[in-house]
Amino acid sequence: MSQVIKITLLKALAVNSAKNETFKTGVIDKATDQKNITVAYHESAGDDQYDERMLARGFFTQCEMLKTWFSEYLTGSGNTADDALVSSEESDDSVEISLKVSDRFNLGYVKTLARLGQKYVEDRMVHLWWSTSDEKKAAFYAKLAEEDLAGITQCFNKTAPKAPEYSFAEEIELRFPMIEDGGISKPGHEVPADTLMSYPYIIAAGEETEITYVLSNASGKKPVDDIIVRADDGCCMPCLDEYGRWQVRGIKPGMSVITLQSRHDDRVFARFALRVTE
């Protein structure tokens, strides 16, 4: 089972954050050496059209990078159109990312993902800003982006695995052997063993017959077949054929009560009598 969560990344917030980070660096460089005034001006992202275009490009590119990282932790078998793990809608001002997560995902982490995702995009934008001019500064912001991704990973690793769910039978209806109603014992229709013996199904020693039945439960889903068949006498032997169907084989003359029962619920059963002849 899965659910869809959405986070929104804001372009203006990311661009302003990148400008603030580079401006701070420029101020420090200028204060360190007044001769660096020109350098400080050019290394700071400002309101020039070129700077705006560079930062806008970085924002949308890093949003796409973030989507590929998210896909590592999502619920689903693939990235096909009918099983999309990640989708997004984008405008000039923002990118909204939709994530298909486990139904056990803690929704308290949605804001965490949004904030860490926003910070990852911002740190990567500043990393790209410095990548062509200052390798040391670029490496520092690359490390910050890696820490952001580690935090994102922790949001998903907190989700405990879910135990598999199985639908077991609540009723079993014997279809074959076809025996008169008095010769079948089932929930709500308990027939004593001696009465069952009065309505036996008859086979010869060495002969086999298939036992067929139908399982159902209140959910309407097809139940798991967990039925086991036992005989209370050694005159016959229940066994599975090569296709997994229950058979009963006559071994020697005698009478036996055959019980079909769920492995998971003793209340789900059906019984009938079998006579084995020469």
Side-chain angles (χ1 to χ4, degrees):
M1 298 293 291
S2 61
Q3 58 184 328
V4 176
I5 61 174
K6 296 182 179 182
I7 64 172
T8 300
L9 307 175
L10 303 176
K11 174 185 170 186
L13 181 61
V15 169
N16 286 336
S17 177
K19 288 180 179 180
N20 290 338
E21 289 294 318
T22 56
F23 175 77
K24 180 176 66 176
T25 304
V27 170
I28 293 172
D29 287 346
K30 184 168 61 176
T32 302
D33 185 352
Q34 288 295 317
K35 296 179 181 179
N36 283 340
I37 292 177
T38 302
V39 173
Y41 171 79
H42 287 294
E43 71 183 358
S44 302
D47 297 329
D48 295 345
Q49 288 188 359
Y50 173 78
D51 293 350
E52 291 284 355
R53 289 196 302 270
M54 285 287 293
L55 293 175
R57 176 177 176 271
F59 171 75
F60 289 109
T61 300
Q62 296 314 310
C63 285
E64 298 303 313
M65 287 291 295
L66 181 62
K67 285 164 59 178
T68 65
W69 279 104
F70 276 141
S71 67
E72 296 291 325
Y73 310 106
L74 304 185
T75 298
S77 58
N79 290 308
T80 56
D82 59 348
D83 186 23
L85 303 181
V86 183
S87 59
S88 63
E89 293 186 9
E90 135 183 348
S91 67
D92 291 338
D93 303 317
S94 65
V95 173
E96 182 184 75
I97 301 177
S98 298
L99 308 174
K100 185 178 179 182
V101 299
S102 163
D103 60 350
R104 291 175 62 81
F105 180 81
N106 184 350
L107 296 181
Y109 287 120
V110 175
K111 287 184 178 179
T112 308
L113 285 178
R115 288 168 178 164
L116 287 176
Q118 180 81 31
K119 187 173 183 300
Y120 168 80
V121 169
E122 294 168 3
D123 288 338
R124 285 285 296 169
M125 287 170 63
V126 180
H127 161 74
L128 291 176
W129 180 268
W130 293 117
S131 62
T132 56
S133 59
D134 194 318
E135 185 176 337
K136 185 175 180 180
K137 292 173 184 173
F140 173 76
Y141 283 96
K143 185 174 185 300
L144 290 182
E146 290 178 2
E147 293 175 356
D148 299 334
L149 291 178
I152 288 172
T153 301
Q154 288 300 309
C155 291
F156 293 99
N157 288 349
K158 298 292 185 183
T159 304
K162 186 175 182 179
E165 296 180 354
Y166 298 104
S167 176
F168 294 113
E170 295 176 359
E171 293 185 359
I172 178 171
E173 180 184 349
L174 186 66
R175 290 292 178 87
F176 192 85
M178 300 300 294
I179 303 172
E180 294 182 36
D181 188 56
I184 302 174
S185 184
K186 56 187 177 181
H189 184 70
E190 188 73 34
V191 178
D194 57 347
T195 303
L196 287 177
M197 295 295 187
S198 301
Y199 302 88
Y201 184 77
I202 302 173
I203 62 173
E207 183 182 354
E208 290 184 359
T209 188
E210 182 179 349
I211 302 172
T212 59
Y213 50 88
V214 175
L215 305 178
S216 61
N217 61 21
S219 70
K221 297 180 181 178
K222 184 177 180 180
V224 174
D225 190 335
D226 63 340
I227 300 301
I228 189 169
V229 180
R230 297 186 177 91
D232 68 351
D233 187 274
C235 68
C236 61
M237 182 178 68
C239 58
L240 291 168
D241 67 11
E242 59 182 317
Y243 301 106
R245 298 173 301 196
W246 278 106
Q247 311 277 336
V248 62
R249 178 185 305 158
I251 303 298
K252 61 182 180 180
M255 290 281 289
S256 179
V257 173
I258 308 298
T259 301
L260 291 73
Q261 189 165 37
S262 167
R263 291 184 175 91
H264 297 88
D265 191 342
D266 292 343
R267 298 168 298 177
V268 180
F269 67 88
R271 296 189 180 99
F272 68 96
L274 180 76
R275 174 186 290 171
V276 179
T277 62
E278 293 283 356

